[in-house]
């Protein structure tokens, strides 16, 4: 629960009894932190209706090993909380989504503040600890120090139950010195914390900022013991010189890491690292955070005239930074301030394009039907030709033209898909946009594919759909966007919007798409062009399946959510739809983006292998399921390749269960 009080003294007055109630965590948020929380939390949160003044809040969580004991603990906590003079009503919730939203807000406080800093400035994060009874006075003292030294837009937050406080400073630093006010503030901060019998550092290392003050905190005798230990372990002073042990009283005012202005897409990044665990390339090359850091290092080296370093980094960045980035947007989902590093990669890819490539892809946008038919035919030919001949020919072409231009075929790829054709209806309920992915890649063996499955489901439910005129030449435009092909993207988008506008009667009918990545791309255009876009999984769950009986339930289904389904918030619909036709629905704990990313899985298959390895291990460690499903054909191919189980579109399983 988020417990909001009228002011900090009131909140801190109730901290002892709250701590005595033994919650797992009690997180403090000051008024400035609550302003950020208002922006992050959903409109349904009671916090949105509060005019924040001098308020303060605790984010509390209770945990236990069993439902019974947890229930008793929550009931006891509820009685305690109900007696608190709260500014807004609050109840303890066990809802996983509400809990995740609150923690996302709390963990993203620093990044939210730092992302709003003026370009070229640094936001410094510090942590101190004081006895619980001194927390309120310490917070009040910090606010006075901010005012005295001219620091604005600061927040105070932290682990109140442990007396551990974090606060931020927004400062413009150079690589060599800090302004005088920074030195003066630090001196006053040390006096404040030590006067409260506190520690200048809590959970994080002492670092350079507090190194000159370690002697003052611990006293001469203990400090000399530390110095002697340092000399014994590191006689030549090679290990982190100036950190913790230093004779320089101004160590904390020099040698700063500054943040150069790099790109609008990523200048807000504070290198917190939240994006790293969800990146498909994290175990192959580098992560979004590292891409941003390297980009900044190139700019720093260029400004310093170190051209040799610039060229070295650029050469390595070609593969590590650009070729192996899936640009899937999962980094944006994990980022507290929603930075999409993929946008930076797309921008940098566009800078590398030759005029010939731009021209070729613009022509492709005008003749997309021919391109998709050629791709489908190529897969048909490859599936019947001798494997060594196909692989040898493509390998030679990749060597001549480059691996980012020529795809690599493998025997586990399917044959080509069906050509897309228009479909008319006198009384349509929706416009069906069959994806070109499914027209290039055929369905798994003994399967009808997503398009036939959706059409059969709608047919049996009595729901009429139309397929737009000119569908064969249409695409969601993702291939052009991901490659940075601006002209081709504009050409395809104009054709797409025109065709969908006519087919939907200027937005009256919803557009239903059978590939979630394409749904996401279409959804980006929806608001701007007055379109309604629905993924086929949601459409079938809410509008089609309620009209159909389920004849054959499956014992179990293994699901692979996609990056697009996650970004669109469709995973609940995936689970809900699968639950209607299966007794057990499993999503592996280690699931993540498959890294296929359109054609990236064919151009750089090592990316897909690395991205799917954790999830594949989790899938193979479980009992075999009755069905394996996703909502995007290329994701199905990636997971089939990684696990050996045939993944199909979830609609195909629903179609079989209701036939």
């Amino acid at each position: 629960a988020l417990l909001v009080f009228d002011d900090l003294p009131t909140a801190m007055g109730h901290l002892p009894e709250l701590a005595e109630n033994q919650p797992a965590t009690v997180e403090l948020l000051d008024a400035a932190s609550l302003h950020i929380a208002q922006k992050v939390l959903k409109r349904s949160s009671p916090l949105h209706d509060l005019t924040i003044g001098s308020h303060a809040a605790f984010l509390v969580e209770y945990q236990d090993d069993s439902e019974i004991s947890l229930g008793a603990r929550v009931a006891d906590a509820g009685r305690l909380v109900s007696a608190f003079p709260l500014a807004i009503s609050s109840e303890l919730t066990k809802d996983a989504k509400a809990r995740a939203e609150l923690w996302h807000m709390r963990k993203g406080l620093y990044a939210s503040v730092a992302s709003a800093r003026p370009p070229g400035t640094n936001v410094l994060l510090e942590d101190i600890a004081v006895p619980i009874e001194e927390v309120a006075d310490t917070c009040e003292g910090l606010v006075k120090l901010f005012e005295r030294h001219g620091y604005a837009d600061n927040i105070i937050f932290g682990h109140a139950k442990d007396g551990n406080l974090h606060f931020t400073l927004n400062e413009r630093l150079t690589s060599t010195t800090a302004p005088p006010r920074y030195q003066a503030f630090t001196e006053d901060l040390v006096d404040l914390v030590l006067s409260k019998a506190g520690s200048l550092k809590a959970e994080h290392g002492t670092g350079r900022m507090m190194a000159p003050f370690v002697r003052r905190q611990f006293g001469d005798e203990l400090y000399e013991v530390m110095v002697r230990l340092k000399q014994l372990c590191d006689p030549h002073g090679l290990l982190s010189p100036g950190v913790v042990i230093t004779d320089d009283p101004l160590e904390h005012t020099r040698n700063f890491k500054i943040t150069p202005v790099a790109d609008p897409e990523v200048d807000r990044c504070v290198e917190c690292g939240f994006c790293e665990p969800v990146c498909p390339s994290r175990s192959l090359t580098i992560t979004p955070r590292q891409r941003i850091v390297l980009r900044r290092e190139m700019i720093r080296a260029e400004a310093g005239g170190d051209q040799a370093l610039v060229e070295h980094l650029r050469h390595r960045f070609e593969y590590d930074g650009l070729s192996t980035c899936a640009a899937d947007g999962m980094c944006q989902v994990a980022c507290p301030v929603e930075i999409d590093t993929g946008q930076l990669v797309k921008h940098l890819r566009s800078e590398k394009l030759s005029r010939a490539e731009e021209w070729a892809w613009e022509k492709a946008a005008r003749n997309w039907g021919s391109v998709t038919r050629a791709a489908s035919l190529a897969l048909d030919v490859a599936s019947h030709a001798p494997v060594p001949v196909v692989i040898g020919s493509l390998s030679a072409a990749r060597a001549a033209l480059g691996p980012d231009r020529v795809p690599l075929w493998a025997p586990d790829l399917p044959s080509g898909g069906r050509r897309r054709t228009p479909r008319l209806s006198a009384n349509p309920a929706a416009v069906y946009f069959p994806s070109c992915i499914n027209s290039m890649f055929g369905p798994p063996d003994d399967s009808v594919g997503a398009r036939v499955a959706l059409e059969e489901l709608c047919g049996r439910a009595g729901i009429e759909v139309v397929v737009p005129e000119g569908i064969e030449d249409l695409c969601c435009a993702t291939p052009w966007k991901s490659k940075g092909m601006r002209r081709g993207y504009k050409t395809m988008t104009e054709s797409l919007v025109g065709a969908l506008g006519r087919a939907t009667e200027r937005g009256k009918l919803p557009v239903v798409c059978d590939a979630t990545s394409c749904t996401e791309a279409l959804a980006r255009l929806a608001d701007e062009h007055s379109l309604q876009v629905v993924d086929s999984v949601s459409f079938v769950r809410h509008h089609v399946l309620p009209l159909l009986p389920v004849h054959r339930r499956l014992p179990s289904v293994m699901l692979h959510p996609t990056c697009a389904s996650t970004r669109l918030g469709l995973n609940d619909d995936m689970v809900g739809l699968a639950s209607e036709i299966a007794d057990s629905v499993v999503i592996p704990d280690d699931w993540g983006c498959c890294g296929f990313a359109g054609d990236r899985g064919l151009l750089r298959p090592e990316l897909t292998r690395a991205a799917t390895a954790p999830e594949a291990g989790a899938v193979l460690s479980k009992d075999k399921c009755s069905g394996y499903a996703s909502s995007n054909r290329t994701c199905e191919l990636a997971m089939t390749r990684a696990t050996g189980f045939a993944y199909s579109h979830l609609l195909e399983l629903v179609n079989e269960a209701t036939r």
Side-chain angles (χ1 to χ4, degrees):
L2 185 66
L3 310 179
V4 183
F5 296 85
D6 287 331
D7 50 49
L8 185 61
T10 303
M12 297 311 302
H14 292 281
L15 179 59
E17 56 185 314
L18 188 59
E20 190 176 338
N21 196 242
Q22 296 185 324
T25 56
V26 181
E27 298 293 298
L28 171 67
L29 292 85
D30 71 346
S33 302
L34 288 175
H35 278 292
I36 296 173
Q38 269 188 333
K39 298 175 184 176
V40 175
L41 297 177
K42 292 179 180 176
R43 288 281 172 193
S44 56
S45 169
L47 189 63
H48 276 284
D49 298 326
L50 179 68
T51 301
I52 297 174
S54 57
H55 295 82
F58 293 134
L59 172 59
V60 299
E61 179 168 291
Y62 289 84
Q63 302 172 358
D64 216 306
D65 294 330
S66 72
E67 284 287 340
I68 295 175
S69 54
L70 179 62
R73 185 181 291 273
V74 169
D76 185 44
R79 287 189 290 271
L80 176 67
V81 169
S82 65
F84 286 167
L86 299 179
I88 56 176
S89 61
S90 180
E91 293 183 358
L92 289 156
T93 177
K94 295 169 68 175
D95 180 73
K97 279 190 173 181
R99 176 181 177 274
E101 186 186 17
L102 286 169
W103 276 117
H104 179 74
M105 174 273 297
R106 162 60 185 86
K107 292 179 179 180
L109 283 176
Y110 166 62
S112 297
V113 170
S115 69
R117 72 192 188 282
T121 62
N122 290 71
V123 172
L124 306 173
L125 176 66
E126 282 302 324
D127 71 307
I128 57 176
V130 295
I132 290 181
E133 59 271 17
E134 300 286 359
V135 170
D137 285 347
T138 304
C139 290
E140 185 178 345
L142 282 172
V143 172
K144 291 179 180 177
L145 290 185
F146 296 152
E147 294 172 351
R148 182 187 309 165
H149 297 285
Y151 286 108
D153 301 322
N154 314 285
I155 61 170
I156 302 173
F157 60 102
H159 318 304
K161 187 165 66 83
D162 307 307
N164 180 193
L165 299 174
H166 300 297
F167 64 88
T168 62
L169 293 179
N170 195 352
E171 186 60 273
R172 188 173 294 276
L173 305 169
T174 70
S175 60
T176 54
T177 59
R181 69 168 181 169
Y182 177 75
Q183 183 179 348
F185 172 88
T186 307
E187 292 284 347
D188 287 347
L189 171 67
V190 170
D191 289 341
L192 171 65
V193 174
L194 296 185
S195 71
K196 303 297 183 183
S199 171
L200 299 176
K201 275 294 174 181
E203 60 190 307
H204 299 287
T206 293
R208 294 184 185 279
M209 182 171 179
M210 290 303 170
F213 308 102
V214 174
R215 181 187 291 272
R216 191 186 304 182
Q217 176 175 340
F218 290 96
D220 291 338
E221 184 178 4
L222 187 53
Y223 185 75
E224 291 303 325
V225 174
M226 296 181 189
V227 171
R228 182 65 182 135
L229 283 171
K230 172 69 171 174
Q231 290 170 343
L232 289 169
C233 297
D234 183 21
H236 301 294
L238 299 177
L239 306 178
S240 297
V243 178
V244 183
I245 304 298
T246 182
D247 293 326
D248 184 355
L250 297 179
E251 180 70 42
H252 60 303
T253 65
R254 291 191 279 267
N255 299 316
F256 291 103
K257 174 184 176 180
I258 59 172
T259 305
V261 176
D263 298 89
E265 293 93 342
V266 299
D267 279 339
R268 295 176 295 131
C269 176
V270 294
E271 302 172 19
C272 65
F274 279 99
C275 58
E276 296 190 301
V278 300
C279 178
S281 63
R282 65 188 182 277
S283 62
L284 176 67
T285 50
I286 57 177
T287 65
R289 181 178 72 90
Q290 292 168 324
R291 287 182 171 93
I292 293 171
V293 169
L294 285 170
R295 181 67 177 159
R296 287 171 171 169
E297 288 302 318
M298 289 183 219
I299 292 170
R300 187 179 286 115
E302 202 154 16
D306 191 347
Q307 202 57 35
L309 179 57
V310 172
E311 291 305 317
H312 171 73
L313 292 176
R314 272 192 188 143
H315 175 70
R316 290 296 302 273
F317 199 77
E318 287 294 318
Y319 179 75
D320 292 354
L322 302 184
S323 293
T324 58
C325 177
D328 62 346
M330 286 298 287
C331 49
Q332 184 181 36
V333 174
C335 176
V337 293
E338 300 185 344
I339 295 172
D340 185 356
T341 312
Q343 294 298 328
L344 169 65
V345 170
K346 293 169 187 175
H347 169 68
L348 295 176
R349 284 174 181 168
S350 69
E351 291 181 345
K352 290 171 47 59
L353 294 174
S354 66
R355 288 185 179 180
E357 287 176 301
E358 189 78 53
W359 176 86
W361 276 90
E362 205 272 336
K363 288 296 182 186
R366 298 184 184 279
N367 301 277
W368 192 237
S370 299
V371 175
T372 56
R373 285 197 304 275
S376 175
L377 179 60
L379 285 168
D380 283 336
V381 171
S383 64
H384 292 91
V387 171
V389 173
V390 178
I391 293 179
S393 301
L394 288 174
S395 297
R398 283 166 66 86
L401 301 175
D404 286 328
R405 293 187 177 92
V406 181
L408 186 62
W409 180 84
D412 56 8
L413 289 175
S415 56
R418 285 179 53 200
R419 179 176 176 176
R420 296 179 295 171
T421 54
R423 180 188 182 109
L424 302 178
S425 172
N427 188 30
V431 173
Y432 174 32
F433 186 87
S435 69
C436 53
I437 293 175
N438 291 324
S439 70
M440 287 188 274
F441 295 104
D445 294 338
D446 304 321
S447 178
V448 298
R451 177 178 180 179
V452 172
L454 179 59
E455 289 176 340
E456 289 186 357
L457 285 165
C458 289
R460 291 201 301 276
I463 296 175
E464 296 185 30
V465 296
V466 294
V467 176
E469 291 285 344
I471 183 63
E472 188 167 340
D473 283 317
L474 297 180
C475 174
C476 67
T478 294
W480 292 267
K481 188 175 182 65
S482 66
K483 295 177 185 296
M485 306 281 183
R486 294 191 179 95
R487 281 170 45 197
Y489 179 76
K490 183 174 183 292
T491 297
M492 179 55 75
T493 301
E494 288 175 351
S495 299
L496 174 66
V497 169
L500 292 180
R502 292 187 292 273
T504 61
E505 300 174 20
R506 301 301 163 193
K508 292 180 181 178
L509 299 175
V511 178
V512 179
C513 185
D514 58 15
T516 310
S517 61
C518 303
T519 303
E520 183 183 19
L522 294 174
R524 292 194 200 104
L525 303 171
D527 292 338
E528 184 179 349
H529 298 282
S530 302
L531 296 172
Q532 307 172 56
V533 177
V534 184
D535 189 75
S536 58
V537 169
S538 294
F539 184 72
V540 169
R541 183 192 182 195
H542 296 291
H543 302 287
V544 180
L545 191 59
L547 303 176
L548 297 174
V550 176
H551 297 296
R552 290 176 295 281
R553 290 182 64 84
L554 295 171
S556 59
V557 168
M558 180 75 70
L559 285 183
H560 168 71
T562 73
C563 47
S565 69
T566 303
R567 286 164 61 85
L568 290 170
L570 293 176
N571 291 345
D572 284 348
D573 277 343
M574 284 187 71
V575 173
L577 182 59
S579 299
E580 293 290 338
I581 62 161
D583 298 329
S584 172
V585 178
V586 182
I587 295 179
D589 290 337
D590 291 327
W591 80 268
C593 173
C594 69
F596 208 99
D599 61 1
R600 197 67 24 189
L602 301 178
L603 298 173
R604 299 291 185 178
E606 68 272 23
L607 173 62
T608 303
R609 281 195 299 272
T612 55
E615 183 175 354
V619 170
L620 294 172
S621 70
K622 299 181 182 297
D623 293 336
K624 186 177 181 180
C625 290
S626 310
Y628 295 81
S630 188
S631 60
N632 214 71
R633 187 69 187 108
T634 50
C635 302
E636 297 156 22
L637 295 176
M639 290 308 301
T640 298
R641 177 176 284 181
T643 65
F645 295 122
Y647 277 72
S648 60
H649 199 289
L650 179 57
L651 297 193
E652 298 179 62
L653 301 184
V654 177
N655 189 37
E656 287 295 321
T658 57
R659 181 177 286 158

